[in-house]
Amino acid sequence: MMERHLPIPQKDARLVMAHMYVAFISLLVGGLMGLLQTFVRSGSFDLPFGIGYYQILTAHGVILALVLTTFFIIGFQFALLSKTVGLSDKQRLSAWIGFWTMLIGTLLTAGTILTGKANVLYTFYAPLKAYPTFYIGLALVVVGSWIACFTNFRQLAVWKKAHKGEKSPLLAFMVVINMLLWFIATLGVAATVLIQFIPWSLGMVDTINVLVSRTLFWYFGHPLVYFWLLPAYMAWYAIIPKIIGGKIFSDALARLSFVLFLMFSIPVGFHHQLTEPGIDPLWKFIQVVLTFMVIIPSLLTAFSMFATFEMAGRSKGYTSLFGWIKALPWKDVRFFAPVVGMLAFIPAGTGGIINASHQMNQVIHNTIWVTGHFHLTVGTTVILTFFGISYWLIPSLTGRKLTKKINTLGIIQTIVWGVGMFIMSGSMHIAGLLGAPRRSAYSTYTGAEQVDTWIGYQLAQAIGGTILFIGIILMVYIFFYMVFGAPKGKASFPIAEVSEEAEPTPQYLENWKVWIGITIALILFAYTIPFIDIIQHSPPGSEGFENLIR
């Protein structure tokens, strides 16, 4: 690997690649767990060697939704900051400490799950109780990510000090917003794990307050979705325009949308608890209203992206109403994979509005509709964008080229993924509307007639899951080929410039004290009174149930 071929220092490239190795190994392991799940739910397959369904269900959720995403995002963001503001030796050391802390925590948690001592599912709802190493591992992952957070904060602070009065690089601004969101959100899950779950699992206390633990989890659980989405938005706003030969439509609009995501993605956890009896309906309604506020930056992003596409097309001479679409590089996998993810976000966002609605949620709550929605948002929009990022990021980090063969194979992989997800997620949505539950293995429910209406869709989920696993195998092969097999050469690290026609970015968008202050005020407004009420009026604590589900 030649230093001159790398757009960022070789030491930084090694740091980023360490995160990528964990992410893509997690993709393979977690994907296999998901494939086995769909087989079991079809009713035509039994797990061998005494492996339990809820064991692989827990592994699938934790390894893909937490491990893969967190390692990929933190690695990607270190690459962006290395490129835009730099990474000093001290910052690089702290980044490595964060990486190893997260990796040790991941191995502890994953090992506990795979040995059957943590059949508590992705949400680890009490009173289901895991072995202590599950919770200790989770705590280490969070602590490691906090080290990455404060390393990122320090990177931008050092740059700002050296460039007084200058506007911070757009991608650096976006990374810091996302890590602020992550840090504030993980305070909830850290509190419940450290104060409730670890002492409870160690036998230091006999019972746990179930409602408090669920509330703290969902304080974290919903902004977690935006922690996944915002790196995809970083690529959409600032990377894709360069790939298509265009420019960023508006720097100010991009920053505004990220600020709005920070403010409105955290104080909304109650919309995941609309059927929870211990929460006052008024506060559920207030948080539902706050949830719908996040639609605004999503629509701003949609407008900005299609404006960018149209401007790029028209700059190349296409003048008809939709002729600019022809100018887009559909044969370039760096564009094709993310844009398929963008299109998937249309039905995914629509489903999210239904999930968050105080009334419509009653129809689909705790059905496999929710799982289908989850796979559209994270499993399609986010993951396909991450794959699209990989096609330029990995070659640029390893000093290799994206070959025509891998580009073509990447397009095939994207199509395979899209088809598999359409079948699997579509079947989940329909089965959910028919009443099929989530979080459950195959069951005939003692011959209930309603079951017959969704059995066929569960078989379709297995077919879609099989196609998706083929897509995973292809992507893992592509990743390792780009690391070890592709010819050496110089690969681009595409970062777009802002359009000359864009309005200047207002200085107040970088007033961190204001935006963090408003975010904290919204959180205090949304949670203080209901949380006090929850603590004062909670039912007696619950004892734990270990290995209750297999």
Side-chain angles (χ1 to χ4, degrees), residues 263-303:
M263 292 192 299
F264 292 111
S265 64
I266 301 175
V268 295
F270 285 168
H271 85 246
H272 289 268
Q273 298 174 272
L274 291 177
T275 61
E276 199 87 63
I279 301 173
D280 190 290
L282 173 64
W283 289 102
K284 292 178 182 178
F285 175 75
I286 289 172
Q287 291 205 17
V288 164
V289 173
L290 290 173
T291 301
F292 280 97
M293 293 297 292
V294 87
I295 296 171
I296 297 172
S298 296
L299 292 177
L300 289 177
T301 300
F303 169 78

Side-chain angles (χ1 to χ4, degrees), residues 81-216:
L81 286 184
S82 174
K83 180 71 173 176
T84 56
V85 301
L87 186 65
S88 70
D89 288 339
K90 287 184 179 179
Q91 292 162 358
R92 192 178 301 109
L93 175 61
S94 67
W96 275 112
I97 292 172
F99 168 79
W100 286 110
T101 303
M102 288 197 302
L103 183 59
I104 292 169
T106 296
L107 294 174
L108 273 176
T109 299
T112 310
I113 296 169
L114 294 175
T115 54
K117 296 182 178 179
N119 297 336
V120 292
L121 312 189
Y122 155 73
T123 50
F124 57 93
Y125 274 172
L128 297 178
K129 188 176 183 180
Y131 195 73
T133 50
F134 174 83
Y135 306 112
I136 294 169
L138 286 180
L140 287 173
V141 172
V142 172
V143 170
S145 72
W146 284 353
I147 297 172
C149 280
F150 285 98
T151 303
N152 293 156
F153 300 159
R154 179 63 180 166
Q155 286 176 272
L156 184 58
V158 169
W159 187 93
K160 292 286 286 183
K161 187 175 181 180
H163 300 78
K164 290 183 179 179
E166 293 185 32
K167 178 180 67 178
S168 62
L170 175 60
L171 283 168
F173 175 88
M174 290 173 160
V175 168
V176 170
I177 286 283
N178 197 36
M179 292 309 258
L180 271 171
L181 184 153
W182 173 258
F183 176 71
I184 296 171
T186 49
L187 290 173
V189 73
T192 188
V193 167
L194 292 174
I195 298 172
Q196 292 187 282
F197 280 97
I198 290 178
W200 180 58
S201 65
L202 290 171
M204 298 167 64
V205 295
D206 295 327
T207 62
I208 189 170
N209 187 316
V210 172
L211 184 54
V212 168
S213 68
R214 290 186 184 182
T215 301
L216 288 172

